[in-house]
Amino acid sequence: PEELRNENNSLIYCSISGFGHDSAETNQRAYDSTIQAMSGLMNLTGFKGDGPVKLGPSVMDVLPGFVSATAIITALYERKSTGEGQHIDISMQDCAAWMLQSRLPFSNEPTNHGPSRSPEALAGVFETETDWVTISVQDEESCERLKTNIQNTDPAIDWGNSDDAVENVVAEWAVQRPTQEVIK
């Protein structure tokens, strides 16, 4: 990119690599599963007590393309006002860091959060009497609506946190009802 930009300073050059061009892992091969594993992403899914689980879609193969497209558009906008291009260096590992920003620093220790929740909020898949549904409680209003609908008044349940107690109450409630009732 430097040689090309010497010839044409307005050139916008975008590189996508596994680990960036200035890291200790620069020459290491990177695939979607490699980045999912090394970043800790695989430790955020699966079931308690089981090993790490790869996300089904190849998110770490796709996400850097979207990030690059955004960076290129931004560089085009900047070039319009400055006349200068730039070298954009996107790494799959950096994209994983962005995805996991609330979980940094990276760790290969299992989080013990099942697929139904994260530590911040209830957001997961629950079995109903007839099928499966997703239930997300991301704010106070949603939390109050869920409490009201479930009619659980146990003072030991901290509805503001997604923990085993909350997940168990929701799971027990949902599995006793048809899907359409749970959705309603």
Side-chain angles (χ1 to χ4, degrees):
E2 289 75 25
E3 288 180 37
L4 291 171
R5 290 200 61 239
N6 284 337
E7 295 291 321
N8 179 356
N9 194 35
S10 66
L11 177 69
I12 296 170
Y13 189 103
C14 184
S15 304
I16 302 175
S17 63
F19 302 96
H21 292 93
D22 60 356
S23 75
E25 293 89 8
T26 294
N27 295 319
Q28 187 171 330
R29 290 180 182 219
Y31 301 98
D32 175 79
S33 59
T34 308
I35 300 299
Q36 283 194 37
M38 291 179 71
S39 68
L41 185 60
M42 286 187 189
N43 287 322
L44 297 178
T45 190
F47 293 91
K48 285 185 191 180
D50 290 348
V53 177
K54 180 187 175 299
L55 296 176
S58 297
V59 292
M60 296 319 308
D61 281 342
V62 175
L63 182 61
F66 286 106
V67 171
S68 296
T70 303
I72 291 167
I73 291 167
T74 303
L76 286 166
Y77 183 78
E78 185 175 330
R79 182 176 72 184
K80 194 171 189 174
S81 61
T82 67
E84 289 195 32
Q86 55 187 281
H87 176 202
I88 302 164
D89 185 10
I90 304 290
S91 79
M92 295 167 74
Q93 185 74 5
D94 287 345
C95 291
W98 175 76
M99 279 185 65
L100 297 166
Q101 58 189 306
S102 66
R103 308 283 195 280
L104 291 177
F106 289 154
S107 171
N108 284 324
E109 295 298 317
T111 61
N112 293 322
H113 300 297
S116 298
R117 62 183 163 88
S118 71
E120 293 84 30
L122 181 71
V125 179
F126 295 88
E127 188 173 10
T128 69
E129 192 175 76
T130 55
D131 206 354
W132 294 84
V133 297
T134 182
I135 298 175
S136 293
V137 178
Q138 304 292 323
D139 55 42
E140 261 186 68
E141 181 185 343
S142 297
C143 184
E144 288 303 316
R145 284 181 31 226
L146 183 64
K147 280 174 33 180
T148 299
N149 286 316
I150 289 181
Q151 297 178 354
N152 183 302
T153 57
D154 184 348
I157 303 293
D158 181 2
W159 288 91
N161 292 307
S162 179
D163 61 13
D164 287 338
V166 172
E167 187 170 295
N168 291 340
V169 167
V170 173
E172 289 171 17
W173 172 80
V175 77
Q176 298 174 32
R177 287 161 179 73
T179 299
Q180 288 306 313
E181 182 181 332
V182 173
I183 291 171
K184 184 180 173 195

